[in-house]
């Protein structure tokens, strides 16, 4: 865990974009509309954050859903979410320190990509409104296309490392969710960095998970973490 790494994989929601409050609000509205009930804080932490839409929809409905049904429910929720993003106005922007860090990594030619549970429509939305094309292409990003098991399974981060032409142990993963940290650990990622409140570390350290905590990407020092 102390060796310097060669590449980095960012989760998106909650890492490059601080939008957890919007995702939570949209899912809560969805749950009330479709299931007739609100979500608990534990459900949001354990079952929502970092999970695919299909996984959470099946949890809410307590049954399996077809691809067509999943797509319909997902778009219902994501339409609400994207409207909430735009309602934020200038507040809908990359997280503190993100643009500066991405510029530094690009200038140093450090391989980087995104490994996210977001779907393609949301990613296209982010490319349009957050200028992700300055640093990434869609082909480089691992997203929820329905072919990979969702976090906490390691597949997203194993595939992301392959996209960078690196081994998982040569990569850093930056995550905010428990399921994402578990996925990175299962993938044997070289270093895991959690974004969040350090007071919450104990909630994320169950099962011996090892990670470093920062509050924003402005705290991530490329010279400290990368072999260049």
């Amino acid at each position: 865990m102390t060796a310097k790494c060669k590449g980095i994989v960012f989760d998106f929601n909650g890492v490059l974009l601080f939008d957890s409050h919007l995702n939570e609000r949209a899912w809560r509205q969805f749950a009330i509309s479709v299931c007739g009930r609100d979500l608990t804080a534990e459900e949001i932490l354990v079952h929502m954050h970092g999970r695919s839409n299909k996984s959470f929809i099946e949890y809410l409905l307590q049954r399996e859903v077809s691809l067509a049904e999943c797509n319909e429910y997902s778009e219902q929720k994501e339409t609400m979410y994207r409207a909430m993003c735009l309602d934020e106005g200038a507040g809908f922007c990359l997280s503190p320190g993100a643009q500066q860090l991405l510029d530094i990594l690009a200038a140093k030619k450090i391989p980087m990509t995104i490994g996210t549970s977001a779907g393609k429509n949301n990613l296209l939305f982010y490319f349009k409104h957050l200028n992700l094309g300055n640093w990434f292409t869609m082909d480089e990003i691992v997203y929820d296309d329905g072919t990979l098991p969702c976090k906490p399974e390691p597949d997203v981060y194993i595939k992301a490392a392959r996209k960078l032409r690196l081994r998982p142990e040569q990569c850093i993963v930056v995550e905010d969710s428990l399921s994402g940290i578990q996925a990175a650990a299962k993938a044997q990622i070289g270093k895991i960095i959690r974004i969040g409140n350090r007071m919450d570390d104990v909630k994320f350290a169950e099962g011996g998970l090892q990670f470093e905590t920062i509050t924003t990407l402005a705290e991530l020092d490329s010279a400290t973490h990368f072999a260049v």
Side-chain angles (χ1 to χ4, degrees):
M1 296 291 288
T2 58
K4 291 188 177 182
C5 295
K6 295 184 177 181
I8 186 166
V9 185
F10 296 96
D11 178 35
F12 190 79
N13 304 95
V15 173
L16 289 173
L17 177 65
F18 282 177
D19 64 340
S20 294
H21 62 299
L22 301 178
N23 261 312
E24 289 176 13
R25 192 192 312 164
W27 275 121
R28 290 180 70 179
Q29 287 188 14
F30 176 88
I32 291 169
S33 172
V34 174
C35 305
R37 69 174 184 86
D38 203 348
L39 301 174
T40 68
E42 182 178 3
E43 286 178 313
I44 289 170
L45 174 65
V46 176
H47 297 286
M48 190 204 90
H49 284 304
R51 305 282 183 148
S52 68
N53 282 4
K54 185 175 188 293
S55 172
F56 193 50
I57 288 167
E58 289 183 338
Y59 167 77
L60 289 175
L61 299 180
Q62 292 294 292
R63 62 177 176 83
E64 292 186 0
V65 295
S66 67
L67 178 60
E69 192 177 14
C70 177
N71 289 341
E72 180 180 349
Y73 279 133
S74 291
E75 194 55 28
Q76 180 179 338
K77 177 266 175 181
E78 300 303 350
T79 297
M80 291 188 290
Y81 161 78
R82 291 191 291 266
M84 292 174 185
C85 288
L86 295 179
D87 285 344
E88 295 279 289
F92 179 50
C93 59
L94 293 178
S95 66
Q99 181 172 331
Q100 295 85 344
L101 177 61
L102 293 174
D103 284 343
I104 290 169
L105 296 175
K108 292 184 175 182
K109 295 182 168 50
I110 293 173
M112 58 181 174
T113 190
I114 293 170
T116 177
S117 298
K120 184 175 183 179
N121 286 345
N122 277 7
L123 272 179
L124 293 172
F125 174 76
Y126 301 141
F127 266 84
K128 177 180 179 180
H129 294 283
L130 299 174
N131 300 315
L132 290 189
N134 290 343
W135 307 282
F136 306 100
T137 68
M138 281 291 292
D139 288 342
E140 296 168 338
I141 294 174
V142 181
Y143 59 90
D144 180 17
D145 62 359
T147 66
L148 293 177
C150 68
K151 303 171 187 177
E153 297 308 313
D155 303 65
V156 167
Y157 287 125
I158 292 172
K159 184 174 181 179
R162 289 198 194 110
K163 292 264 188 181
L164 299 180
R165 296 181 174 84
L166 296 171
R167 299 187 304 276
E169 61 268 25
Q170 294 176 303
C171 299
I172 289 173
V173 159
V174 188
E175 262 287 356
D176 70 308
S177 69
L178 177 60
S179 62
I181 292 171
Q182 291 169 333
K186 289 180 182 178
Q188 298 185 327
I189 290 296
K191 186 177 185 66
I192 303 170
I193 298 177
R194 184 181 82 85
I195 282 196
N197 189 328
R198 291 182 176 90
M199 297 291 290
D200 293 332
D201 278 357
V202 66
K203 298 178 184 178
F204 288 80
E206 295 178 2
L209 292 173
Q210 297 183 44
F211 52 85
E212 172 188 328
T213 300
I214 59 177
T215 56
T216 73
L217 290 174
E219 298 175 37
L220 201 160
D221 180 5
S222 62
T224 300
H225 293 292
F226 294 100
V228 292

